[in-house]
Coordinates of all heavy atoms in Angstrom, one line a residue:
G1441 N 118.8 108.4 119.4 CA 119.1 108.4 118.0 C 118.2 107.4 117.2 O 117.6 106.5 117.8
I1442 N 118.1 107.6 115.9 CA 117.3 106.8 115.0 C 117.9 106.7 113.6 O 118.5 107.7 113.2 CB 115.8 107.3 115.0 CG1 114.9 106.3 114.3 CG2 115.8 108.7 114.3 CD1 113.5 106.6 114.5
G1443 N 117.7 105.6 113.0 CA 118.3 105.5 111.6 C 117.4 106.0 110.5 O 117.1 105.4 109.5
I1444 N 117.0 107.3 110.7 CA 116.1 108.0 109.7 C 116.8 109.4 109.5 O 117.0 110.1 110.5 CB 114.7 108.2 110.2 CG1 114.0 106.8 110.3 CG2 113.9 109.2 109.3 CD1 112.6 106.9 110.8
A1445 N 117.0 109.7 108.3 CA 117.6 111.0 108.0 C 117.4 111.3 106.5 O 116.5 110.9 105.9 CB 119.0 111.1 108.4
G1446 N 118.4 112.1 105.9 CA 118.2 112.5 104.5 C 118.0 111.4 103.5 O 117.2 111.5 102.6
D1447 N 118.8 110.2 103.7 CA 118.6 109.1 102.7 C 117.2 108.6 102.8 O 116.6 108.1 101.7 CB 119.6 108.0 103.1 CG 121.0 108.4 102.7 OD1 121.2 109.4 102.1 OD2 121.9 107.6 103.0
T1448 N 116.5 108.6 103.9 CA 115.2 108.1 104.0 C 114.2 109.0 103.3 O 113.3 108.5 102.6 CB 114.7 108.0 105.5 OG1 115.6 107.2 106.2 CG2 113.3 107.4 105.6
F1449 N 114.4 110.3 103.4 CA 113.6 111.2 102.6 C 113.8 111.1 101.1 O 112.8 111.1 100.3 CB 113.8 112.6 103.0 CG 113.5 113.0 104.5 CD1 113.9 114.1 105.1 CD2 112.8 112.0 105.2 CE1 113.6 114.4 106.4 CE2 112.5 112.3 106.6 CZ 112.9 113.5 107.1
D1450 N 115.0 110.8 100.7 CA 115.3 110.5 99.3 C 114.5 109.3 98.8 O 113.9 109.2 97.7 CB 116.7 110.3 99.0 CG 117.6 111.6 99.1 OD1 117.0 112.7 99.1 OD2 118.8 111.5 99.2
Y1451 N 114.5 108.3 99.7 CA 113.8 107.0 99.4 C 112.3 107.3 99.2 O 111.7 106.7 98.3 CB 114.0 106.1 100.7 CG 113.1 104.9 100.7 CD1 113.4 103.7 100.1 CD2 111.8 104.9 101.3 CE1 112.6 102.6 100.1 CE2 111.0 103.8 101.4 CZ 111.4 102.7 100.7 OH 110.5 101.6 100.8
R1452 N 111.7 108.1 100.0 CA 110.3 108.4 99.8 C 110.0 109.0 98.4 O 109.0 108.7 97.8 CB 109.8 109.4 100.9 CG 110.0 108.9 102.3 CD 109.2 107.6 102.6 NE 109.4 107.1 103.9 CZ 109.1 105.9 104.4 NH1 108.7 105.0 103.5 NH2 109.4 105.6 105.6
I1453 N 110.9 109.9 97.9 CA 110.7 110.5 96.6 C 110.8 109.4 95.6 O 110.0 109.3 94.6 CB 111.7 111.6 96.4 CG1 111.4 112.8 97.4 CG2 111.6 112.1 95.0 CD1 112.5 113.9 97.3
V1454 N 111.8 108.6 95.6 CA 112.0 107.5 94.6 C 110.8 106.6 94.7 O 110.3 106.2 93.6 CB 113.4 106.8 94.9 CG1 113.5 105.6 93.9 CG2 114.6 107.8 94.7
D1455 N 110.5 106.2 95.9 CA 109.4 105.2 96.0 C 108.1 105.6 95.5 O 107.3 104.8 94.9 CB 109.4 104.8 97.5 CG 108.6 103.4 97.7 OD1 108.9 102.5 97.0 OD2 107.7 103.4 98.5
N1456 N 107.8 106.9 95.7 CA 106.5 107.4 95.3 C 106.4 108.0 93.8 O 105.3 108.0 93.2 CB 106.0 108.5 96.2 CG 105.6 108.0 97.6 OD1 104.4 107.5 97.7 ND2 106.4 107.9 98.6
V1457 N 107.6 108.4 93.3 CA 107.6 109.1 92.0 C 108.2 108.2 90.9 O 107.7 108.1 89.8 CB 108.2 110.4 92.1 CG1 108.2 111.1 90.7 CG2 107.5 111.3 93.1
V1458 N 109.4 107.6 91.2 CA 110.2 106.9 90.2 C 109.7 105.4 90.1 O 109.5 104.9 89.0 CB 111.7 107.0 90.5 CG1 112.5 106.3 89.4 CG2 112.1 108.5 90.6
S1459 N 109.7 104.8 91.2 CA 109.5 103.3 91.2 C 108.2 102.9 90.5 O 108.2 101.9 89.8 CB 109.5 102.7 92.6 OG 110.8 102.8 93.2
P1460 N 107.0 103.6 90.7 CA 105.8 103.2 89.9 C 106.0 103.2 88.4 O 105.4 102.4 87.7 CB 104.8 104.3 90.3 CG 105.2 104.7 91.7 CD 106.8 104.7 91.6
R1461 N 106.9 104.0 87.9 CA 107.2 104.0 86.5 C 108.2 102.9 86.1 O 108.5 102.8 84.9 CB 107.8 105.4 86.1 CG 106.7 106.5 86.2 CD 107.3 107.9 86.1 NE 106.3 108.9 86.0 CZ 105.6 109.3 87.1 NH1 105.7 108.7 88.3 NH2 104.7 110.2 86.8
L1462 N 108.6 102.1 87.1 CA 109.5 101.0 86.8 C 108.9 99.7 87.2 O 109.5 98.7 87.3 CB 110.8 101.2 87.6 CG 111.7 102.4 87.2 CD1 112.8 102.6 88.2 CD2 112.2 102.4 85.7
G1463 N 107.6 99.7 87.4 CA 106.8 98.5 87.6 C 106.3 98.3 89.0 O 105.6 97.3 89.2
K1464 N 106.6 99.1 89.9 CA 106.1 98.9 91.3 C 104.6 99.0 91.3 O 104.0 99.9 90.7 CB 106.7 100.0 92.2 CG 106.2 99.8 93.7 CD 106.5 101.0 94.5 CE 105.9 100.9 95.9 NZ 105.9 102.1 96.7
G1465 N 104.0 98.1 92.0 CA 102.5 98.1 92.1 C 101.8 97.4 91.0 O 100.6 97.4 91.0
T1466 N 102.5 96.9 90.0 CA 101.9 96.2 88.9 C 102.0 94.7 89.1 O 102.4 94.2 90.1 CB 102.5 96.6 87.6 OG1 103.9 96.2 87.5 CG2 102.5 98.2 87.4
T1467 N 101.5 94.0 88.1 CA 101.5 92.5 88.2 C 102.2 91.8 87.0 O 102.5 92.4 86.0 CB 100.0 92.0 88.2 OG1 99.4 92.4 86.9 CG2 99.2 92.6 89.4
Y1468 N 102.4 90.5 87.2 CA 102.9 89.6 86.2 C 102.2 88.3 86.3 O 101.5 88.1 87.3 CB 104.5 89.5 86.3 CG 104.9 88.6 87.4 CD1 105.6 87.4 87.2 CD2 104.8 89.0 88.8 CE1 106.1 86.6 88.2 CE2 105.3 88.2 89.8 CZ 105.9 87.0 89.5 OH 106.4 86.2 90.5
R1469 N 102.3 87.4 85.2 CA 101.4 86.2 85.2 C 102.2 85.0 85.0 O 102.2 84.4 83.9 CB 100.4 86.4 84.1 CG 99.5 87.6 84.2 CD 98.3 87.5 83.3 NE 97.4 86.5 83.8 CZ 96.3 86.0 83.1 NH1 96.0 86.5 81.9 NH2 95.5 85.2 83.6
P1470 N 102.9 84.5 86.0 CA 103.6 83.2 85.8 C 102.5 82.1 85.9 O 101.8 82.0 86.9 CB 104.5 83.2 87.0 CG 103.9 84.0 88.0 CD 103.1 85.1 87.3
G1471 N 102.5 81.2 84.9 CA 101.5 80.1 84.9 C 100.1 80.6 84.8 O 99.1 79.9 85.2
G1472 N 99.8 81.8 84.3 CA 98.5 82.3 84.0 C 97.8 82.9 85.2 O 96.6 83.2 85.2
T1473 N 98.5 83.0 86.4 CA 97.9 83.6 87.6 C 98.5 85.0 87.8 O 99.8 85.1 87.9 CB 98.2 82.7 88.8 OG1 97.6 81.5 88.6 CG2 97.6 83.3 90.0
D1474 N 97.7 86.0 88.1 CA 98.2 87.4 88.3 C 98.9 87.4 89.7 O 98.2 87.0 90.7 CB 97.1 88.4 88.2 CG 96.7 88.7 86.8 OD1 97.5 88.4 85.9 OD2 95.6 89.2 86.6

């Protein structure tokens, strides 16, 4: 058995389609450093 199933596939959709529109893969500048 393995802990991979339907929820993991849902995760892939959210991670690739939704999360980038919520800031994933972008930067911020605390103290002037990216």
Side-chain angles (χ1 to χ4, degrees):
I1442 190 169
I1444 291 176
D1447 287 353
T1448 304
F1449 295 169
D1450 290 345
Y1451 166 89
R1452 301 301 181 196
I1453 295 174
V1454 175
D1455 197 49
N1456 284 278
V1457 180
V1458 182
S1459 290
R1461 289 164 174 77
L1462 298 171
K1464 181 193 172 191
T1466 63
T1467 60
Y1468 72 118
R1469 303 195 70 187
T1473 302
D1474 285 340

